[in-house]
């Protein structure tokens, strides 16, 4: 990840400071350049849109929908908080998009997915609880509580949805990789990307847009992570 590379270069710069000052300066310059480029909004936005623009936002389908599959993400179990506040940003975004699609296609059943990690309750259960709280009938929701990653989700859910009309909900940056895993299992879902990082790439920007910032560094990190994931997925498809 960019920040790891920057930290490694800074450590090397300190180690080489006395014995190899020129090498130390090169590492310091390289770290500075990587940090600036990774947190520079125009570059970060371009990297992210390469992932997010692969699939358009979902509009109402022309055919009845059988299943709405919501991929898992993060949550923190805390009974003192409303269930919607226990969901991480990515889980909340996916849950809201699933709710929107369910309102368009009430004939569909919803499949929530994802294990709990360190939490006692799975992410699938937490998302289900939030959907029920917001009006989706509990009997319309199926939970897959054990998948630990997208590949496992595709392997476990695909046998149930073979030959049906399916909408797949996940974050826009994650959608290309998620679609690849489901297609590898013989399922061709309709993509429903959500949680866009870049919402207006070509709109008018003021001078503040061109100032490097930590949010864009995080965005670049996510884009790089997903790009590496796609590379790993490609290698797996070969071997």
């Amino acid at each position: 990840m960019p920040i790891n590379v920057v930290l490694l270069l800074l450590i090397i710069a300190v180690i080489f400071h006395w014995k190899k000052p020129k090498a130390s300066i090169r590492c310091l310059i390289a770290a500075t350049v990587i940090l600036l480029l990774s947190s520079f909004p125009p570059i970060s936005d371009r990297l992210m849109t390469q992932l997010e623009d692969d699939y358009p936002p979902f509009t109402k389908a022309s055919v009845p929908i059988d299943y709405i599959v919501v991929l898992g993400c993060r949550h923190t179990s805390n009974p003192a908080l409303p269930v919607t506040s226990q969901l991480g940003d990515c889980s909340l975004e996916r849950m809201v998009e699933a709710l929107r699609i369910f309102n368009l296609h009430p004939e569909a059943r919803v499949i929530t997915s994802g294990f709990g990690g360190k939490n006692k309750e799975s992410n699938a259960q937490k998302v289900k609880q939030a959907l029920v709280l917001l009006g989706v009938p509990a009997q319309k929701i199926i939970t897959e509580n054990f998948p630990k990653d997208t590949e496992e989700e595709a392997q476990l859910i695909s046998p149930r949805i073979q030959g049906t009309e399916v909408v797949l909900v996940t974050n826009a940056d994650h959608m290309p990789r998620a679609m690849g895993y489901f297609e590898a299992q013989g399922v061709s879902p309709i993509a429903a990307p959500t949680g866009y990082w870049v919402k207006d790439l070509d709109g008018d920007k003021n001078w503040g847009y061109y100032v490097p910032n930590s949010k864009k560094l995080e965005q670049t990190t996510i884009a790089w992570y997903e790009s590496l994931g796609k590379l790993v997925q490609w290698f797996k498809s070969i071997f």
Side-chain angles (χ1 to χ4, degrees):
M1 297 298 108
I3 193 66
N4 301 53
V5 175
V6 169
L7 290 173
L8 182 61
L9 288 169
L10 290 176
I11 291 170
I12 294 172
V14 171
I15 294 172
F16 286 172
H17 177 67
W18 290 276
K19 292 186 177 181
K20 297 181 179 180
K22 289 185 178 180
S24 176
I25 292 172
R26 291 192 188 100
C27 289
L28 185 60
I29 292 172
T32 303
V33 170
I34 292 171
L35 183 61
L36 287 173
L37 292 178
S38 298
S39 57
F40 187 52
I43 292 177
S44 181
D45 285 354
R46 291 289 176 185
L47 289 173
M48 183 56 78
T49 53
Q50 295 299 313
L51 296 168
E52 293 189 331
D53 287 354
D54 275 10
Y55 297 92
F58 178 86
T59 56
K60 187 171 183 178
S62 58
V63 295
I65 297 298
D66 298 300
Y67 293 101
I68 302 167
V69 176
V70 189
L71 298 187
C73 199
R74 294 184 297 275
H75 74 280
T76 301
S77 295
N78 182 351
L81 299 175
V83 65
T84 48
S85 295
Q86 295 177 48
L87 297 177
D89 289 346
C90 49
S91 282
L92 186 62
E93 290 162 346
R94 297 175 191 186
M95 183 275 295
V96 171
E97 179 66 4
L99 178 62
R100 183 183 76 86
I101 297 170
F102 181 80
N103 287 333
L104 293 172
H105 291 279
E107 75 279 4
R109 300 189 72 184
V110 181
I111 300 177
T112 61
S113 178
F115 80 132
K118 296 179 180 179
N119 297 281
K120 291 182 179 180
E121 291 182 283
S122 69
N123 190 254
Q125 285 291 345
K126 281 297 173 187
V127 173
K128 176 180 179 177
Q129 290 168 18
L131 287 169
V132 171
L133 181 68
L134 296 173
V136 179
Q139 65 270 21
K140 297 280 284 185
I141 304 174
I142 302 165
T143 56
E144 290 285 356
N145 299 299
F146 302 108
K148 295 182 176 63
D149 55 32
T150 311
E151 186 174 17
E152 287 189 9
E153 288 177 315
Q155 291 170 348
L156 288 172
I157 295 172
S158 291
R160 181 191 294 273
I161 61 177
Q162 290 280 357
T164 65
E165 294 293 335
V166 183
V167 175
L168 180 65
V169 179
T170 189
N171 285 65
D173 58 86
H174 181 239
M175 186 61 76
R177 197 155 57 95
M179 289 290 285
Y181 280 125
F182 276 86
E183 288 168 355
Q185 298 296 320
V187 177
S188 298
I190 303 169
T194 187
Y196 287 85
W197 283 85
V198 183
K199 295 180 173 63
D200 185 17
L201 181 62
D202 300 318
D204 293 335
K205 306 290 191 300
N206 59 28
W207 65 268
Y209 172 74
Y210 299 95
V211 178
N213 63 78
S214 59
K215 184 177 180 181
K216 294 303 179 182
L217 175 60
E218 181 185 3
Q219 179 177 288
T220 300
T221 301
I222 296 295
W224 180 240
Y225 176 87
E226 286 298 330
S227 297
L228 287 177
K230 288 178 68 178
L231 182 62
V232 170
Q233 189 177 45
W234 179 72
F235 274 114
K236 283 185 176 182
S237 69
I238 295 175
F239 299 107

